[in-house]
Amino acid sequence: MFGTGLGRLAAHPALAATKRRAKGLLLAASERALGPQQLRGEIDSGAAYSLTIPGLAGPYLLTRGPVSVGGWALDLRGGRPLPVRGRVGRVAMAAETIERADIQAAFAGMADLPVRCGLSLEGTARQGPSLLQVEAEREPGDWRTLFRGLVLCLDSDLGRFERGGLWRYREWRLREAEVAAADAEGQRGYAAMVGGRPSITAIVLGERNADATHASLAAQTFPACETLTVPGGAADLDAALRAAQGDYTLPLAAGDRLTPDALYTLAAACRAEPGLDLVYADEEGDGDGDDPVPFFKPGWSPDTLESVPYLGSPTLYRTAALRGLEAPAGLYDLALRFTEAPRTVKHLGRVLCRRPTTPTAPGETGPDMAALAGRLARTGRTGEIRPIAPGLRCYISDIRPAEPGPLVSVVIPTAGRELTVGGRRLDLVLDCVRGIRDRSTYRNVEIVVVYNPDIAPAKLEALAALGCRTVLYREPAFNVAAKLNLGAAAATGEMLLLLNDDVDIISPDWIERLLAQATKPHVGAVGAKLLYPDGTVQHAGVVALHGNPNHVRRGYPDGDRGYVFAAAAARNYGAVTGAVMMTRADLYSRVGGYSEEFPIHFNDVDYCYKLRRLGLHIVLEPAARLFHFESASRKPSIHPEELALFQERWPEDLIDDPFYPNGVFATAPPHAEIFLHAGTGVR
Amino acid sequence: MSAAPAPPLPLPQRLVPTAVVFLVRGRDGGYAASYRRFLDSYRTHPAGLPHDLVLLCKGFADPADQARVEADFAGLSSRTLTVGDEGFDLGAYREAARRLDHERVLFLNGWSEILSEDWLLKLTLNLDRPGIGLVGCTGCYEVLRIDRRFGPFPNPHVRSNGFLMDRGLFLEAIGERPIGTKLDAFLIESGPDSITRRVVGRGLGALLVGRDGRGFPPRLWPRSRTFRLGLRDNLMVADNQTRAAAGWSWRVLTRVQTQTWGRYLAELPPAGLDGPLA
């Protein structure tokens, strides 16, 4: 697949030249931009620092003007904050020390720090590139550099109307708060007009910081009809759920703080779509720095929910639909149990809650794993649950496959080519098949190879010797969709595994991993994590970006966990690549297989979209890992007519991607870092 | 999956006699499929309030064609009005308003499709709010660049499909202006002396009402998720223009959204845009 990369800027041709220059800068910089927002280090053995620079991506900072630096720089032996200064270009930043009780507490026992031990630097960048430098004074006159980096200010006027560009989360929040404040009276009027219906019961679980939760409930423009306080926490959750009288129930953990318009937003969504059973919205968490860390959630992702308790807060449940549930042990257990029945679920792309922690922060995994174990048992699966790392609330389920397991027909279209990779000469299709036979642990497999007339007879004999069935594709024009359809028609298995010949197996249990997802009734297709020969990511899901599909997180290291574990465990996406795709044979037939109007590109994404139109879900299973040499056997090319047809066929699906909201994530390239685009209006 | 109805909305304190006027023009290609789509949606989505459905016909060269339409509306509509084909939609509405005696009128063109239950109740509850003179299902800030009389941006106006107001106020606001050309109709809908501006000029507010029942003041129209806004998931009455957006590519949608809403897709407009509601 090839994205145009121009994205939304192409909407203003009059400024195309300026935009292309800016875009070029951004793209060039973003290729290097894979860094965190926080910088930590030691100045010497007795002094250390931690800087938070919102908007920082690797060595550069993107901004519309404001530049701010937070964090701390401390003389830990002396128990004092170090004087800090900053400069953007030639202009000094305003510096002050601020109260940071959290930092003071963090170093208790190591250093006796005053509560005013945090640092804050504020400055403004001028249009274009500038140098940002932050220094700390270790001893009088002895200034040490903590950070030097490029600031790229691209303010306004990328278009007559668009104030397009990249906002820091702080600015974005302020804008949202400004709108909410301007609308507060209207929201209160709405609540009165609708008689407070649908009514919402709020449940506050636990005691720690519950006051903050109650305060946020009291500040709602659309009041809850009742608030149930459950000091005992999750242990008493069931009783509270049964006592709820509202049309909808909103369980909150003590410490969760709703925005003043949260209940209004939830209630209005339920009034607009009366059939909703579950509504959830985005959240932000108290991070290490000054700014909260947003969690922009995907649209309804039932399989992601089995990896990460991503629904978080706020999550609203239809009260009547809660009545039949067995007592949940906690909020994650509640979400899993509730969604085991078919439900109408809606995601609201608004940050409506602030939480004391972020989803990637270390936490208790025991209750989560118990909840997941219950989910497996209730859905007829057996296996072990384990976190991806100790203390991280992201889980991998090692499902024990049924014996003997369904017959998997591996369908491989081949041109019969050879390739040199890393000094090794590969016969693509033969090596691929040998990998399946020799290194894959799943045995109930048939292999169907679809070949061209010019294949060497010896190769056909070798394929036969490896137990493959072979099917001749006679058409002169290259059409991989047609070849796959031909192979699928010849296949006899319950499951189809569409496979490029330019792949090499990494994880021996890759087929079992794919099966564990593909055999779920609601799943339409499953893809694998694919790596380039150098070990970087080639495929970890396909997202729609301003009209074009593309691979998310391409080029990242294999161990990268992705945005909130998106690359670490099973996750729903809009599509996966057909280079390795498992799907049920009956589904393949039902939707007419791959659309042959897409001979080269987009046929896999088109297939996934057809499945989604049936209400099925697409899953990326990162535990199934293979190398992919990607078009190495063919010269890559762009076919604009295929893209045009694809966009014509799926216009609304390409407006935005529910699994990768274009308004909040980078789109050029789609590396899933937060880039808050101003005003596409799609959200 | 649940098919639960929404919790009931409170009813207005006073039931105001309201005519819901549905326009069918015989000369419009595809008019039959369009009005049948409306009828299906009308039957599917209860209005939430009693009202008179008035069939407004124009442009039928063959009376038998009109008779077929009337037959399909039999049992639903209380009466049929026939007007001349001149004057576009607004001219027909004006003529209908002159002949009706209801206190309020809601006008729907032949491309309309109702998308939500309690549609009339939601519009009425918002119109009942103090200081409100006009409520509609769609509106925008767009300035038509076809004549220099249009402008400046932003130009908040309620679109002339799916709007409810006091009948007398409507007749005042539309006045006796000639509607001989499409430009005349555009000027009345979105020109410097539009219906919306005349209502606002009388110290009354104009709201867009979404499927959620919320009445949005002009400053918040870009947040309403209705006309030319994302996937339009809060739209209460669709028409040919909103349906056209379903086929737009991202590039076209972005261009049209920007042309319609400008920088206010991102920024909050100034408070003054709300006029009397500010």
Side-chain angles (χ1 to χ4, degrees):
Chain A
M1 285 147 290
F2 297 90
T4 62
L6 290 175
R8 52 200 293 273
L9 295 183
H12 297 271
L15 295 173
T18 305
K19 291 172 191 173
R20 274 196 289 272
R21 278 198 295 277
K23 197 71 172 177
L25 269 174
L26 275 173
L27 289 173
S30 68
E31 296 298 329
R32 304 187 301 272
L34 297 177
Q37 281 190 339
Q38 281 187 310
L39 305 161
R40 285 204 173 104
E42 285 188 356
I43 297 170
D44 56 39
S45 59
Y49 67 94
S50 171
L51 301 179
T52 303
I53 308 180
L56 183 68
Y60 73 97
L61 167 68
L62 287 163
T63 179
R64 283 177 64 225
V67 177
S68 73
V69 180
W72 47 266
L74 304 170
D75 175 351
L76 292 169
R77 282 209 196 107
R80 64 182 181 98
L82 296 174
V84 177
R85 67 185 181 191
R87 183 182 293 277
V88 181
R90 292 201 178 102
V91 181
M93 301 172 76
E96 62 173 325
T97 53
I98 58 173
E99 285 191 7
R100 289 292 302 268
D102 56 325
I103 301 299
Q104 183 191 43
F107 284 102
M110 249 169 71
D112 188 14
L113 294 168
V115 70
R116 292 187 76 87
C117 57
L119 68 88
S120 170
L121 297 170
E122 299 287 338
T124 306
R126 299 171 68 172
Q127 188 84 355
S130 319
L131 189 65
L132 168 65
Q133 185 159 312
V134 179
E135 297 173 305
E137 192 177 31
R138 184 64 183 96
E139 298 295 344
D142 178 13
W143 288 92
R144 309 286 186 91
T145 299
L146 306 185
F147 176 80
R148 271 172 73 93
L150 184 67
V151 177
L152 199 54
C153 178
L154 294 174
D155 184 28
S156 69
D157 294 331
L158 286 179
R160 181 177 170 195
F161 297 117
E162 287 180 351
R163 291 291 185 88
L166 308 164
W167 291 25
R168 294 176 308 153
Y169 183 60
R170 180 186 298 181
E171 292 175 324
W172 193 83
R173 284 175 84 236
L174 283 175
R175 182 196 67 167
E176 294 290 298
E178 183 189 20
V179 174
D183 195 30
E185 190 183 330
Q187 293 173 12
R188 281 189 278 270
Y190 173 79
M193 188 187 88
V194 299
R197 303 289 295 279
S199 54
I200 297 175
T201 294
I203 296 175
V204 182
L205 288 170
E207 289 184 290
R208 189 158 181 255
N209 296 320
D211 286 349
T213 307
H214 286 290
S216 76
L217 284 165
Q220 292 298 303
T221 54
F222 191 108
C225 68
E226 60 177 354
T227 298
L228 305 179
T229 305
V230 187
D236 298 325
L237 172 61
D238 185 54
L241 293 173
R242 290 181 193 285
Q245 296 296 308
D247 299 311
Y248 285 87
T249 299
L250 178 67
L252 297 165
D256 288 348
R257 290 144 282 165
L258 298 173
T259 60
D261 63 340
L263 295 194
Y264 156 76
T265 306
L266 293 166
C270 294
R271 173 68 62 186
E273 294 180 60
L276 292 174
D277 298 310
L278 187 155
V279 186
Y280 64 99
D282 296 342
E283 63 186 58
E284 59 187 11
D286 295 336
D288 293 337
D290 298 328
D291 288 324
V293 179
F295 177 21
F296 296 114
K297 301 171 187 174
W300 175 224
S301 301
D303 305 288
T304 304
L305 189 61
E306 288 190 349
S307 302
V308 180
Y310 86 92
L311 293 183
S313 259
T315 297
L316 190 74
Y317 296 86
R318 176 186 294 281
T319 306
L322 286 169
R323 294 289 182 245
L325 288 187
E326 278 191 42
L331 293 177
Y332 187 30
D333 192 40
L334 171 63
L336 289 170
R337 289 176 183 272
F338 189 85
T339 55
E340 269 155 37
R343 304 289 189 194
T344 306
V345 181
K346 188 173 181 81
H347 166 239
L348 302 179
R350 296 274 320 280
V351 174
L352 298 181
C353 182
R354 182 159 177 170
R355 313 197 76 191
T357 125
T358 64
T360 54
E364 279 220 52
T365 57
D368 292 347
M369 291 200 291
L372 279 169
R375 161 61 77 91
L376 291 190
R378 290 189 301 272
T379 52
R381 292 175 282 172
T382 53
E384 309 301 320
I385 314 288
R386 55 185 168 92
I388 59 167
L392 291 185
R393 297 184 70 197
C394 174
Y395 306 97
I396 292 177
S397 298
D398 298 317
I399 306 292
R400 283 190 281 281
E403 292 291 340
L407 177 64
V408 175
S409 296
V410 185
V411 178
I412 307 175
T414 185
R417 292 206 162 82
E418 297 181 12
L419 185 69
T420 300
V421 177
R424 209 165 44 111
R425 191 72 184 158
L426 300 176
D427 184 312
L428 289 176
V429 67
L430 286 178
D431 284 319
C432 176
V433 171
R434 288 187 191 111
I436 298 171
R437 292 294 189 213
D438 300 341
R439 284 185 278 129
S440 302
T441 48
Y442 194 79
R443 309 315 300 175
N444 196 12
V445 166
E446 70 165 0
I447 302 176
V448 179
V449 176
V450 186
Y451 66 96
N452 298 336
D454 61 353
I455 198 169
K459 198 164 298 203
L460 276 181
E461 289 169 12
L463 286 169
L466 286 166
C468 298
R469 295 171 49 212
T470 53
V471 178
L472 173 62
Y473 176 75
R474 298 176 193 278
E475 302 302 321
F478 179 80
N479 189 322
V480 72
K483 289 178 86 167
L484 284 165
N485 289 343
L486 196 61
T492 62
E494 181 184 334
M495 309 300 291
L496 294 175
L497 178 43
L498 313 178
L499 193 69
N500 278 17
D501 65 358
D502 58 349
V503 298
D504 190 25
I505 291 147
I506 300 174
S507 50
D509 63 347
W510 65 293
I511 295 180
E512 290 92 325
R513 295 286 180 182
L514 294 173
L515 272 175
Q517 300 296 333
T519 48
K520 295 181 194 173
H522 64 270
V523 172
V526 186
K529 187 173 188 180
L530 303 179
L531 306 179
Y532 288 115
D534 68 357
T536 58
V537 173
Q538 188 270 328
H539 169 263
V542 175
V543 296
L545 309 163
H546 298 159
N548 303 320
N550 208 337
H551 289 195
V552 67
R553 219 77 169 179
R554 189 196 300 259
Y556 274 61
D558 178 26
D560 165 62
R561 290 184 178 144
Y563 178 73
V564 190
F565 306 125
R571 194 184 197 277
N572 293 108
Y573 276 101
V576 290
T577 182
V580 181
M581 183 196 290
M582 181 176 283
T583 186
R584 298 207 311 266
D586 63 327
L587 288 176
Y588 193 89
S589 172
R590 185 170 161 194
V591 301
Y594 269 30
S595 301
E596 295 179 13
E597 310 90 277
F598 302 112
I600 305 166
H601 302 299
F602 310 114
N603 38 56
D604 44 6
V605 184
D606 174 81
Y607 178 72
C608 290
Y609 284 9
K610 288 196 285 191
L611 293 173
R612 284 175 57 206
R613 195 55 63 83
L614 296 180
L616 299 167
H617 292 268
I618 311 299
V619 181
L620 170 79
E621 175 50 87
R625 296 164 70 240
L626 298 89
F627 288 114
H628 182 204
F629 310 128
E630 193 185 26
S631 300
S633 61
R634 280 188 58 248
K635 203 169 173 187
S637 57
I638 298 174
H639 292 250
E641 61 274 10
E642 281 187 292
L643 177 60
L645 177 62
F646 181 73
Q647 291 177 335
E648 187 183 324
R649 180 169 294 184
W650 301 105
E652 293 213 307
D653 300 79
L654 295 171
I655 295 299
D656 198 1
D657 190 325
F659 304 100
Y660 191 88
N662 289 187
V664 299
F665 290 115
T667 53
H671 46 61
E673 302 290 344
I674 294 177
F675 270 15
L676 294 160
H677 302 269
T680 63
V682 175
R683 301 184 74 225
Chain B
M1 308 251 187
S2 298
L9 285 166
L11 290 175
Q13 290 190 336
R14 181 175 77 95
L15 292 181
V16 175
T18 303
V20 174
V21 180
F22 178 73
L23 174 65
V24 181
R25 182 172 183 256
R27 282 211 174 93
D28 284 340
Y31 77 89
S34 291
Y35 83 73
R36 289 190 187 116
R37 176 172 47 217
F38 169 76
L39 275 180
D40 285 343
S41 71
Y42 181 80
R43 290 188 179 106
T44 302
H45 298 100
L49 280 179
H51 59 280
D52 287 332
L53 179 63
V54 176
L55 177 61
L56 178 60
C57 293
K58 61 183 275 186
F60 282 91
D62 185 348
D65 291 336
Q66 181 170 333
R68 271 190 284 276
V69 179
E70 292 182 47
D72 283 343
F73 274 78
L76 290 173
S77 69
S78 63
R79 65 191 280 196
T80 299
L81 297 176
T82 303
V83 298
D85 197 27
E86 60 282 352
F88 299 92
D89 52 351
L90 284 168
Y93 297 157
R94 178 168 58 190
E95 187 55 33
R98 286 172 181 154
R99 298 193 205 173
L100 294 168
D101 57 7
H102 301 72
E103 190 172 328
R104 285 180 179 168
V105 283
L106 164 62
F107 294 112
L108 295 162
N109 71 25
W111 309 104
S112 300
E113 180 184 4
I114 298 165
L115 302 177
S116 166
E117 61 186 31
D118 290 337
W119 47 278
L120 181 58
L121 177 55
K122 290 168 183 171
L123 288 165
T124 299
L125 286 173
N126 280 284
L127 189 59
D128 283 348
R129 289 164 54 182
I132 301 300
L134 168 63
V135 297
C137 296
T138 57
C140 68
Y141 290 173
E142 187 177 12
V143 175
L144 289 182
R145 300 293 179 195
I146 56 177
D147 185 285
R148 60 179 178 207
R149 284 174 284 180
F150 293 90
F153 184 90
N155 177 33
H157 59 276
V158 175
R159 288 179 68 236
S160 62
N161 183 44
F163 70 96
L164 172 71
M165 60 193 300
D166 179 272
R167 187 176 63 88
L169 179 59
F170 169 69
L171 286 170
E172 279 182 44
I174 194 171
E176 300 300 321
R177 292 180 270 184
I179 313 176
T181 65
K182 196 64 182 167
L183 179 59
D184 293 336
F186 283 145
L187 281 167
I188 293 175
E189 182 187 54
S190 66
D193 196 23
S194 65
I195 290 176
T196 303
R197 286 185 187 266
R198 286 194 174 187
V199 168
V200 169
R202 283 161 175 74
L204 298 169
L207 302 176
L208 288 192
V209 180
R211 194 183 304 182
D212 56 10
R214 174 72 200 275
F216 295 89
R219 199 179 180 202
L220 293 173
W221 287 1
R223 297 270 165 163
S224 65
R225 302 187 332 277
T226 54
F227 184 68
R228 292 181 180 172
L229 291 163
L231 294 173
R232 306 165 305 283
D233 59 311
N234 201 27
L235 188 64
M236 194 150 66
V237 174
D239 57 42
N240 52 333
Q241 293 222 17
T242 64
R243 279 190 292 273
W248 289 345
S249 67
W250 178 88
R251 190 161 297 190
V252 171
L253 176 64
T254 301
R255 183 170 63 240
V256 173
Q257 277 187 165
T258 306
Q259 161 191 319
T260 304
W261 301 105
R263 62 181 177 273
Y264 301 117
L265 287 169
E267 291 178 20
L268 187 63
L273 205 69
D274 280 347
L277 300 174

